DNA sequence: GCACAATCAAACATCATGTATGATAATGGA
DNA sequence: TCCATTATCATACATGATGTTTGATTGTGC
């Protein structure tokens, strides 16, 4: 499959990713410099550029694991393609759980002073997943398919951000419930209640 | 109100804002340098720093007009605090219209290679507006108030981005209809329909 | 053990940032 | 009209990040 990798290459890349993660937790992604990374990883400058074009490239390359996780979560989720279909959005709970496990990293990436790069990357991965999930659903005259995908992904990220920034007490299940409530029913019910 | 402003100061600031806007349209916010701005505006380097701490500061200071527009749109919107309340979210149509009028700027700011700073600024302004709008609505056990605010703002930005990036043919009214549909009812209706 | 490839330190050119200085010009009030 | 004030200017400077190059050194896979 993947060509066999020279041990030195593997070691270098691992060191760089590790250094980036440490630094993200310590000072936030935006302000990190290449110098910081190679100092932390104890890797030569030219070696860095032999592997990545910059810190954005390095960050991006670290998202395969997340992608794999989501794809699998989607496969393992209870996809009962018949029934009341409250089991839709099979990815969400798994990802909320993943987010709690790596809370610090997620918060550093997705939170206030986070990285556009990371958020866009997550957005793209999620879009694929949701798109696949909606493939069995028939079209809607009012709202095009891709809008619905973006809506779902956007709402997910809204919840994720809100959760990580302020209310870490809530369990993944609780947050997931709110997420589903919003995505499926919107805020109409609670707004319109008051007459 | 505001202290009387020296003509020179006014002229400088106007030139800088104009230069920033031109450059945003020409090459995108992120890659703009201070040097670009002061060259374009034909303003001395030290003068720039006498007014703003950096390009982010300059950008931020250009959002009062937007803020004012939204506040007024909210006031003028048909706020019937009784009735079926489909008139909620009084700001949205006005902002979609504003966005179409300044399409290029919005797209440059909010689109793909846009600016986090700008998006965050818009997000914050919108949050204030929505928060005020929801002040008369009673609480909901399932979804806290601030989550609903973030949800509405997030969905609005999702629609705005999608609209500006891909489907400029749609009218503000049509986009607004989709926005309201999503915010009020979610995607449950169209997803759950298929059994 | 050997050919090859990866890593290294060091140096370099380039460019952006932010600050400082003293001269010059515009402004607003008297 | 005059004048004190204040903004602007060109210029220079220190600092630090970026990305590339070079030739020597060291680790790998076979």
């Amino acid at each position: 499959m993947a060509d066999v990798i020279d041990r030195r290459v593997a070691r270098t890349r691992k060191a760089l990713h590790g250094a980036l993660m440490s630094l993200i937790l310590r000072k936030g992604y935006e302000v990190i410099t290449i110098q910081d990374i190679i100092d932390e990883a104890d890797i030569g400058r030219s070696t860095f550029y032999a592997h990545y074009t910059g810190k954005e490239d390095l960050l991006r390359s670290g998202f395969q694991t997340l992608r794999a996780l989501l794809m699998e979560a989607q496969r393992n989720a209870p996809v009962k393609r018949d029934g009341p279909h409250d089991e839709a959005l099979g990815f969400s709970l798994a990802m909320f759980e993943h987010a709690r496990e790596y809370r610090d990293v997620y918060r550093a990436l997705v939170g206030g002073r986070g990285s556009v790069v990371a958020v866009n990357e997550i957005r793209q991965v999620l879009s694929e997943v949701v798109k696949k999930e909606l493939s069995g659903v028939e079209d809607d005259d009012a709202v095009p398919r891709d809008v619905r995908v973006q809506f779902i992904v956007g709402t997910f990220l809204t919840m994720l951000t809100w959760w990580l920034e302020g209310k870490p007490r809530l369990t993944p299940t609780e947050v997931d419930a709110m997420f589903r409530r919003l995505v499926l029913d919107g805020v109409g019910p609670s707004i319109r209640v008051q007459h």
Side-chain angles (χ1 to χ4, degrees), chain A:
Chain A
M1 189 156 282
D3 308 10
V4 182
I5 303 176
D6 193 311
R7 290 180 203 165
R8 292 168 291 179
V9 173
R11 189 148 29 84
T12 297
R13 294 194 180 152
K14 193 173 172 184
L16 288 173
H17 275 116
L20 179 62
M21 282 304 143
S22 300
L23 287 167
I24 284 176
L25 293 177
R26 199 179 313 149
K27 48 191 289 191
Y29 174 79
E30 300 290 0
V31 299
I32 295 174
T33 71
I34 308 284
Q35 198 61 49
D36 292 333
I37 299 172
I38 63 182
D39 284 351
E40 176 81 15
D42 198 25
I43 295 292
R45 185 170 195 74
S46 42
T47 305
F48 177 94
Y49 284 106
H51 289 274
Y52 306 100
T53 66
K55 65 170 179 166
E56 180 171 329
D57 189 29
L58 173 61
L59 179 65
R60 243 195 257 279
S61 77
F63 276 94
Q64 294 92 346
T65 60
L66 178 62
R67 181 174 260 109
L69 171 97
L70 288 178
M71 292 300 183
E72 202 197 311
Q74 189 177 30
R75 263 194 300 279
N76 294 350
V79 183
K80 303 166 184 168
R81 282 267 175 249
D82 37 34
H85 229 290
D86 261 325
E87 310 291 3
L89 312 174
F91 71 96
S92 62
L93 182 56
M95 180 129 180
F96 281 125
E97 278 166 347
H98 188 254
R100 189 176 62 170
E101 188 164 0
Y102 300 97
R103 237 168 67 71
D104 295 334
V105 183
Y106 268 83
R107 202 164 53 192
L109 283 177
V110 94
R113 270 294 172 204
S115 142
V116 220
V117 188
V119 175
N120 282 342
E121 202 68 19
I122 294 178
R123 197 180 284 274
Q124 196 179 323
V125 176
L126 287 177
S127 294
E128 290 175 26
V129 173
V130 174
K131 193 174 176 183
K132 203 172 290 180
E133 195 135 346
L134 255 56
S135 61
V137 179
E138 63 190 16
D139 275 342
D140 185 328
D141 322 338
V143 184
R145 181 174 294 257
D146 56 336
V147 173
R148 280 184 287 170
V149 172
Q150 291 312 310
F151 166 70
I152 293 171
V153 172
T155 302
F156 180 85
L157 287 174
T158 295
M159 283 306 305
L160 185 63
T161 306
W162 172 82
W163 183 40
L164 294 176
E165 300 248 282
K167 308 284 181 183
R169 286 289 170 82
L170 295 180
T171 67
T173 311
E174 289 169 326
V175 180
D176 191 48
M178 284 189 206
F179 165 67
R180 282 156 189 274
R181 169 70 182 272
L182 286 175
V183 163
L184 294 176
D185 301 329
V187 292
S190 51
I191 283 189
R192 278 200 270 253
V193 156
Q194 60 122 35
H195 65 163

